[in-house]
Amino acid sequence: MILEAKEIRKSFTEGKESFDVLRGIDFGVERGEIVSLEGPSGSGKTTFLSILGCILTPTKGDVLIDGEVANAKKLNDIRKRSLGFVFQQFNLFPSLTALENIEYALNVKGIRGREARLEAERVIEAVGLGDRQAFLPRDLSGGQKQRVAIARALAGKAPILLADEPTANLDSVVGTQVLELFRALAKKENRALVIVTHDPKVRAVADRVVKIQDGRLS
Amino acid sequence: MVDLATKSLLHDKLRFLITVSGVAFAVTLVFVQVGLFLGLMDNASLTIEHLNADLWITSHDTKNIDFAHTFPETHVKRVRAIPGVASADNLIVWFMNISLPTGSVEGTEVYALEDFTKWNFPWNVTGGNLEDLRRGNYMFLDSSAEHRYGGPFAIGDYREVIGRRLKIIGRSTEAKSFTTTPLTFMNFTLAQSLVPSELRGNTTYILVKLEPGANVEQVKAEIRRRLPYNDVYTGKEWAARSRNYWVESTGLGLNMYLTVFLGCLVGIVVVAQTLYTSTMEHIKEFGTVKAIGGGNADIYSILAKQATIAAVLGFGLGALMAYAMRPLIYKIDLKLVIPTPLFAYVFAGSVVLCLAASMISFRKVASIDPALVFRN
């Protein structure tokens, strides 16, 4: 398995009270597999995604990337090397063009110069925005922004892609197009894809649907 | 490498303009304040430096060249007899009244020597012959008088100095004092005759030239021994004493330091505030940098670069504005002296202070949780 979570527990403390958000989750995903992680609001799915993405550390349990435990001291490196993110709000840099948004992410991952430029051009072509690469985010539609975000996640060949509600800010038709594109590219490049969603359309592109409720998988 | 720092900074042009303007304002303030201070200090010792005497003998505890006190002119003979002294001459520096064609009376600061050519003083003569000053009731007037006295004058014009009609037979430029009172040059005995009650038989300074290889300290000690009620200084010591008097007695130094401090404070506050506001507005972008694997070093390099760009551009603009103000300041008989080391110090100060201002933003960004990228 490329991504594995073992007995993940997460508690948050607010004042004197402690809340258990995740109550012991075991989870795994293979290369090339697409998993839809569904659950109602407050079920803990975004917290779980943050832990899978090595952004949050679990209170108990381990995340394993390609069989290796994600050490809390190396989370930055793991994110650079192995993970690509797609956010609900796109989170593109407004001052950078579509191509530069992708290239900058590659720069952060340590890929620079011509290599970064070629890889950014490859992925922006792959999401069908070759003719929009010099556009600033403000000049792109919601669907186009999300495609740039997908290209940014794909860039650098991270084996694991994590998406948080990627269709939440898109209309139904565009949302479907984005999901199909996302699925096609993940399959073609043999990437594992975990999508946190409320959107039933995601089920259509997922290989497996996992439900989370009250901090447990059901 | 994609330059997120620069592109992000330039993306919001108004804020960028405010940041650069803040730095430029502070830099201009520092240049103008320090430049004016140095210009005034330059004037305070300008005549001392141009007279280029090795030693100055003054009455006891004279504070600066402009506020001279008298002592017997015959002291100069005792000085000339000291081994190591090549020559010594009396100099009178004295404030007198001058009547103008308009009927008004103004002050003038008279420099009186027996032989002006020997001392090459005034150093920048633009008309007339200094040799002629000893031949009658004649005077040279510095060009700065035109502005101060509210009208032009010409060689051949007459002016009354303490009731005596003197002919202007020459003019100089650049001869100034700290007080901005125009300088007049006349023969030593003529000056004595204008103020007989105080100057007859008296001088205010003795200028000394030493023989090559003479031991300065030994000559000074001998002068002190022979003139126990006078003080003796080297040219540099006397120039420094004259400058320090104005710095300490007028609060000029404190005023300059205070304004420089306030200028720096304004610069820091403007840069810190605009960078901080910008950082808070872009906090999710910084969260994204962290989420995609960037560390605090990546983020600080962005903030540091933005602060440095603001510092460099603000410095350039501020220096340009200060330079543009020089002719205006010169028109009001003041000088803006901006030496090269000052450029280097202000540039370094601008960069360091802007980087320090960016630390406030960095502290905020360093503590952000990258998980905020998942929040709406």
Side-chain angles (χ1 to χ4, degrees):
Chain A
M1 261 183 243
I2 187 69
L3 174 63
E4 206 172 350
K6 286 187 173 172
E7 190 56 27
I8 298 294
R9 292 175 182 274
K10 183 70 181 175
S11 305
F12 290 107
T13 306
E14 201 171 292
K16 289 180 179 175
E17 287 194 69
S18 179
F19 301 92
D20 294 328
V21 179
L22 302 176
R23 301 161 189 249
I25 292 181
D26 292 303
F27 175 80
V29 58
E30 301 282 358
R31 279 182 188 271
E33 186 182 18
I34 299 172
V35 177
S36 171
L37 187 62
E38 298 177 2
S41 293
S43 59
K45 56 187 186 302
T46 298
T47 301
F48 185 50
L49 190 74
S50 300
I51 288 170
L52 289 178
C54 298
I55 286 173
L56 282 181
T57 48
T59 309
K60 280 187 180 173
D62 287 317
V63 172
L64 287 79
I65 308 284
D66 207 7
E68 191 181 334
V69 174
N71 185 318
K73 290 178 182 171
K74 294 181 179 174
L75 296 183
N76 267 15
D77 285 342
I78 293 167
R79 290 204 296 273
K80 279 185 191 174
R81 199 176 59 238
S82 306
L83 295 159
F85 293 94
V86 175
F87 309 105
Q88 181 180 340
Q89 302 281 335
F90 321 129
N91 290 13
L92 299 177
F93 300 107
S95 56
L96 301 183
T97 64
L99 188 72
E100 287 169 339
N101 261 282
I102 300 162
E103 201 177 335
Y104 179 72
L106 287 163
N107 293 161
V108 170
K109 289 171 189 287
I111 303 164
R112 308 248 159 117
R114 190 174 154 74
E115 189 185 354
R117 176 52 62 106
L118 289 175
E119 172 68 354
E121 285 171 351
R122 180 187 75 79
V123 290
I124 204 164
E125 288 288 348
V127 297
L129 288 178
D131 59 340
R132 296 282 190 276
Q133 58 180 261
F135 282 39
L136 290 173
R138 66 170 179 231
D139 300 321
L140 297 172
S141 68
Q144 288 169 336
K145 283 181 201 169
Q146 197 57 298
R147 282 199 273 169
V148 174
I150 290 169
R152 180 171 69 182
L154 289 167
K157 301 190 170 57
I160 303 157
L161 306 175
L162 303 174
D164 181 41
E165 306 273 12
T167 56
N169 285 320
L170 305 176
D171 66 42
S172 178
V173 176
V174 174
T176 304
Q177 288 170 351
V178 164
L179 284 172
E180 282 171 359
L181 174 73
F182 209 175
R183 176 188 165 81
L185 290 170
K187 288 286 181 192
K188 183 182 169 191
E189 300 191 5
N190 200 31
R191 320 276 187 107
L193 173 59
V194 179
I195 305 175
V196 163
T197 187
H198 279 108
D199 186 352
K201 289 194 298 292
V202 176
R203 288 183 185 180
V205 299
D207 299 317
R208 181 156 58 99
V209 175
V210 175
K211 293 198 175 182
I212 185 168
Q213 187 139 21
D214 297 330
R216 291 192 177 92
L217 295 188
S218 58
Chain B
M1 182 84 180
V2 175
D3 190 355
L4 178 61
T6 308
K7 285 172 184 274
S8 179
L9 193 65
L10 296 174
H11 192 63
D12 189 342
K13 290 185 176 58
L14 182 62
R15 177 174 290 133
F16 176 61
L17 198 67
I18 292 169
T19 311
V20 171
S21 301
V23 179
F25 172 75
V27 167
T28 307
L29 205 61
V30 171
F31 271 136
V32 170
Q33 193 65 20
V34 177
L36 279 175
F37 174 80
L38 293 177
L40 287 170
M41 288 303 101
D42 207 28
N43 285 350
S45 58
L46 194 63
T47 52
I48 299 171
E49 276 138 19
H50 280 281
L51 276 163
N52 202 24
D54 294 319
L55 297 176
W56 282 71
I57 299 168
T58 72
S59 60
H60 182 59
D61 205 25
T62 299
K63 304 294 184 192
N64 73 80
I65 186 161
D66 301 304
F67 299 161
H69 301 287
T70 59
F71 57 90
E73 64 177 320
T74 51
H75 283 7
V76 74
K77 291 176 183 171
R78 296 190 211 170
V79 177
R80 283 173 183 154
I82 293 171
V85 170
S87 68
D89 286 312
N90 284 318
L91 164 71
I92 286 175
V93 177
W94 204 258
F95 284 94
M96 298 186 191
N97 285 340
I98 183 167
S99 302
L100 304 176
T102 57
S104 64
V105 176
E106 281 276 3
T108 184
E109 190 169 356
V110 171
Y111 275 70
L113 281 165
E114 285 294 344
D115 187 352
F116 281 93
T117 49
K118 177 182 168 186
W119 293 95
N120 189 32
F121 188 81
W123 57 97
N124 203 349
V125 172
T126 56
N129 186 346
L130 287 169
E131 289 284 350
D132 294 336
L133 279 173
R134 66 175 80 184
R135 296 197 170 92
N137 288 337
Y138 301 137
M139 60 188 264
F140 268 53
L141 193 54
D142 191 76
S143 301
S144 59
E146 291 191 332
H147 177 255
R148 179 63 179 267
Y149 296 158
F153 67 87
I155 292 174
D157 287 354
Y158 286 85
R159 294 286 183 275
E160 271 188 21
V161 179
I162 317 190
R164 180 94 53 93
R165 199 160 172 263
L166 304 183
K167 186 177 183 180
I168 300 170
I169 61 164
R171 64 193 296 156
S172 65
T173 58
E174 295 177 8
K176 291 179 179 178
S177 78
F178 181 87
T179 61
T180 73
T181 306
L183 301 194
T184 295
F185 307 93
M186 65 178 66
N187 182 255
F188 185 77
T189 51
L190 175 61
Q192 282 181 318
S193 70
L194 290 173
V195 194
S197 59
E198 298 205 58
L199 296 179
R200 181 176 291 161
N202 284 336
T203 186
T204 56
Y205 299 106
I206 296 172
L207 306 177
V208 179
K209 274 281 181 195
L210 298 178
E211 286 173 348
N215 185 312
V216 178
E217 288 309 314
Q218 274 180 9
V219 175
K220 279 172 77 176
E222 186 57 24
I223 290 171
R224 281 195 197 101
R225 194 182 71 78
R226 295 191 188 197
L227 302 175
Y229 300 108
N230 288 75
D231 292 335
V232 57
Y233 304 98
T234 63
K236 279 188 178 173
E237 288 167 349
W238 179 232
R241 184 174 168 85
S242 280
R243 285 195 299 264
N244 288 343
Y245 170 79
W246 295 112
V247 173
E248 288 162 10
S249 71
T250 61
L252 200 67
L254 180 68
N255 178 31
M256 183 201 67
Y257 286 121
L258 205 62
T259 314
V260 167
F261 171 73
L262 289 175
C264 294
L265 197 65
V266 167
I268 288 179
V269 168
V270 170
V271 174
Q273 194 178 0
T274 49
L275 275 181
Y276 187 76
T277 312
S278 170
T279 302
M280 291 310 291
E281 282 181 14
H282 295 103
I283 198 89
K284 209 154 186 179
E285 289 173 41
F286 288 118
T288 305
V289 173
K290 279 191 171 182
I292 62 179
N296 282 339
D298 293 295
I299 290 169
Y300 190 61
S301 73
I302 293 171
L303 293 172
K305 188 165 186 180
Q306 290 180 336
T308 307
I309 290 170
V312 171
L313 292 180
F315 171 82
L317 188 62
L320 214 61
M321 289 198 293
Y323 256 89
M325 289 169 79
R326 284 179 88 175
L328 302 174
I329 288 170
Y330 195 75
K331 274 186 180 172
I332 53 169
D333 280 341
L334 290 170
K335 274 194 299 189
L336 200 62
V337 176
I338 306 177
T340 310
L342 181 64
F343 261 97
Y345 290 136
V346 176
F347 178 75
S350 305
V351 173
V352 168
L353 293 180
C354 284
L355 285 173
S358 74
M359 286 302 291
I360 297 167
S361 297
F362 178 64
R363 281 169 61 93
K364 179 70 187 172
V365 173
S367 65
I368 62 170
D369 180 359
L372 72 86
V373 291
F374 291 120
R375 293 176 204 138
N376 295 331

